[in-house]
């Protein structure tokens, strides 16, 4: 199992370098000059050239990327061009809000998605199965930002049950923290929850028809034991694939959702860095989010080895 994990890690590291290099090139090719933006209104050519030299923007692209990569390997992602704050500090300040949002969204995805999928599989072909399948299929087509606006109108503006904007840290109390996350997390989790429900339903329907399930029930094993030990474990492989894929989408979706709910997370920081052409912050965010996604994918690959030992070879 350790050798399998190390092989997957060896594949993940080149991907991280390739993604950051592609973003570095794309940012460099984008219109506009960060030095001119920093110089303010009506700058002279000499002033712009001076700023470009101080930031290293006049160096060849490969040399700039190599310097950035060497610094990044030492946990130095540079400083913001807009306010001089260290990029690691800027990400660290915004991370709690985004991490809270993503964790609550993925918990909703797993708990409600698996419960809905299991309920549909156990009532395969009946009314509840058709209802869950229809609702989940419709939910996949709904864009998260539209769902967010509907939730705000229903539960914040009309019912006044939950706050529409803002964020409270967990240190302020469990309910103040959770109350500011329920609506944005629900909007983010709707699509992955629907896909998890559909995938788990289909996998469980297939697994429950297998002979070893019949044999397990014939041996007198209880229904919960058969479902938990034999059926759910084998049906989990396609669900983990969906979960990993949708985790990356949820992380990317924080850009829109944090803007709608005015959450001070890394999604809003990404929007600000793009508008300001703050290249160090943008690259730092890309490297950080790519690393998180690769770690999640690595954990999912390792889980494949647990659920199905054949993939370790």
């Amino acid at each position: 199992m350790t050798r399998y994990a190390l092989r997957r890690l060896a594949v993940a590291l080149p991907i991280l370098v390739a993604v950051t290099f592609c973003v570095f090139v794309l940012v460099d090719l984008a219109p506009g000059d960060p030095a001119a933006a920093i110089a303010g209104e009506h700058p002279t050519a000499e002033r712009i050239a001076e700023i470009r030299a101080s930031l290293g923007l006049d160096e060849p692209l490969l040399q700039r990327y190599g310097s950035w990569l060497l610094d990044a390997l030492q946990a130095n992602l540079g400083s913001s061009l807009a306010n001089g704050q260290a990029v690691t500090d800027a990400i660290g300040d915004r991370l709690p809000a985004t991490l809270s949002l993503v964790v609550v969204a993925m918990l909703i995805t797993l708990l409600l998605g698996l419960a809905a999928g299991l309920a549909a599989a156990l009532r395969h072909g009946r009314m509840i199965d058709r209802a869950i399948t229809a609702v989940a299929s419709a939910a996949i087509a709904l864009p998260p930002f539209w769902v967010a606006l509907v939730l705000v109108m229903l539960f914040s503006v009309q019912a006044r049950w939950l706050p529409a904007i803002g964020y409270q840290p967990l240190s302020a109390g469990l309910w103040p923290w959770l109350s500011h996350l329920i609506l944005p997390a629900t909007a983010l989790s709707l699509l992955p929850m629907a896909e998890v429900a559909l995938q788990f339903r289909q996998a469980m329907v297939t697994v429950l028809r297998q002979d070893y399930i019949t044999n397990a029930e014939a041996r007198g094993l209880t229904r919960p034991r058969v479902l938990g030990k034999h059926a759910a474990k084998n049906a989990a492989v396609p669900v983990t694939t969906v979960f990993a894929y949708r985790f990356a989408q949820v992380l990317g979706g924080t850009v829109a959702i944090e803007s709608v709910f005015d959450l001070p997370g890394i999604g809003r920081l990404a929007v600000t860095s793009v508008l300001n052409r703050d290249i160090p912050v943008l690259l730092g965010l890309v490297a950080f989010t790519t690393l998180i996604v690769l770690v999640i994918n690595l954990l999912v690959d390792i889980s494949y080895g647990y659920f199905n030992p054949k993939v370790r070879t």
Side-chain angles (χ1 to χ4, degrees):
M1 194 69 182
T2 303
R3 293 176 59 188
Y4 174 73
L6 291 176
R7 287 202 306 269
R8 303 308 304 170
L9 180 62
V11 173
L13 291 178
I15 295 176
L16 178 62
V17 175
V19 170
T20 55
F21 179 73
C22 289
V23 173
F24 198 92
V25 172
L26 291 174
V27 171
D28 189 73
L29 294 176
D33 188 348
I38 295 173
E41 296 184 358
H42 311 297
T44 64
E46 291 77 11
R47 175 59 180 160
I48 295 176
E50 180 183 346
I51 295 175
R52 289 182 61 82
S54 65
L55 297 176
L57 297 176
D58 55 347
E59 297 173 353
L61 185 142
L62 288 178
Q63 183 176 342
R64 280 186 282 139
Y65 177 74
S67 299
W68 178 85
L69 185 60
L70 288 176
D71 290 338
L73 292 175
Q74 303 173 57
N76 178 14
L77 297 176
S79 301
S80 168
L81 298 180
N83 54 26
Q85 185 182 21
V87 174
T88 51
D89 292 342
I91 295 175
D93 292 343
R94 304 297 188 99
L95 187 58
T98 299
L99 189 61
S100 299
L101 175 61
V102 171
V103 167
V104 174
M106 296 316 290
L107 282 176
I108 293 174
T109 296
L110 280 181
L111 293 177
L112 297 186
L114 292 179
L118 180 61
L122 294 179
R123 299 291 186 273
H124 181 235
R126 300 181 183 178
M127 180 63 74
I128 188 171
D129 177 28
R130 291 195 290 270
I132 291 174
T133 301
V135 171
S137 300
I140 291 177
L142 300 177
F145 71 91
W146 183 83
V147 175
L149 294 176
V150 172
L151 291 176
V152 168
M153 288 296 297
L154 292 176
F155 297 102
S156 297
V157 177
Q158 296 186 8
R160 298 181 183 275
W161 290 346
L162 295 167
I165 60 173
Y167 171 73
Q168 290 291 327
L170 186 56
S171 59
L174 180 60
W175 175 245
W177 172 75
L178 191 59
S179 65
H180 285 81
L181 295 173
I182 290 177
L183 295 184
T186 301
L188 263 181
S189 65
L190 190 61
L191 191 154
M193 180 171 57
E195 288 205 343
V196 166
L198 292 175
Q199 288 288 340
F200 193 57
R201 168 198 172 275
Q202 186 58 44
M204 284 294 288
V205 168
T206 302
V207 168
L208 291 175
R209 292 173 176 169
Q210 301 300 312
D211 291 339
Y212 66 86
I213 296 295
T214 304
N215 292 335
E217 292 176 333
R219 292 201 309 270
L221 297 180
T222 62
R223 187 68 169 171
R225 186 175 176 82
V226 171
L227 292 176
K229 184 176 181 180
H230 298 281
K233 182 177 179 180
N234 290 302
V237 174
V239 175
T240 54
T241 303
V242 173
F243 182 80
Y245 175 70
R246 289 305 174 187
F247 178 86
Q249 187 180 54
V250 166
L251 196 58
T254 58
V255 174
I257 295 300
E258 287 180 359
S259 298
V260 172
F261 290 94
D262 195 26
L263 295 176
I266 61 175
R268 279 185 56 196
L269 181 63
V271 173
T272 305
S273 65
V274 170
L275 295 176
N276 294 334
R277 286 189 56 78
D278 200 339
I279 297 174
V281 175
L282 185 58
L283 284 174
L285 287 171
V286 169
F288 178 76
T289 53
T290 304
L291 179 64
I292 295 298
V293 171
L294 289 176
V295 169
I296 295 298
N297 286 336
L298 179 63
L299 294 176
V300 170
D301 287 343
I302 293 174
S303 73
Y304 287 162
Y306 169 75
F307 290 126
N308 186 2
K310 292 181 181 179
V311 303
R312 301 179 198 168
T313 59

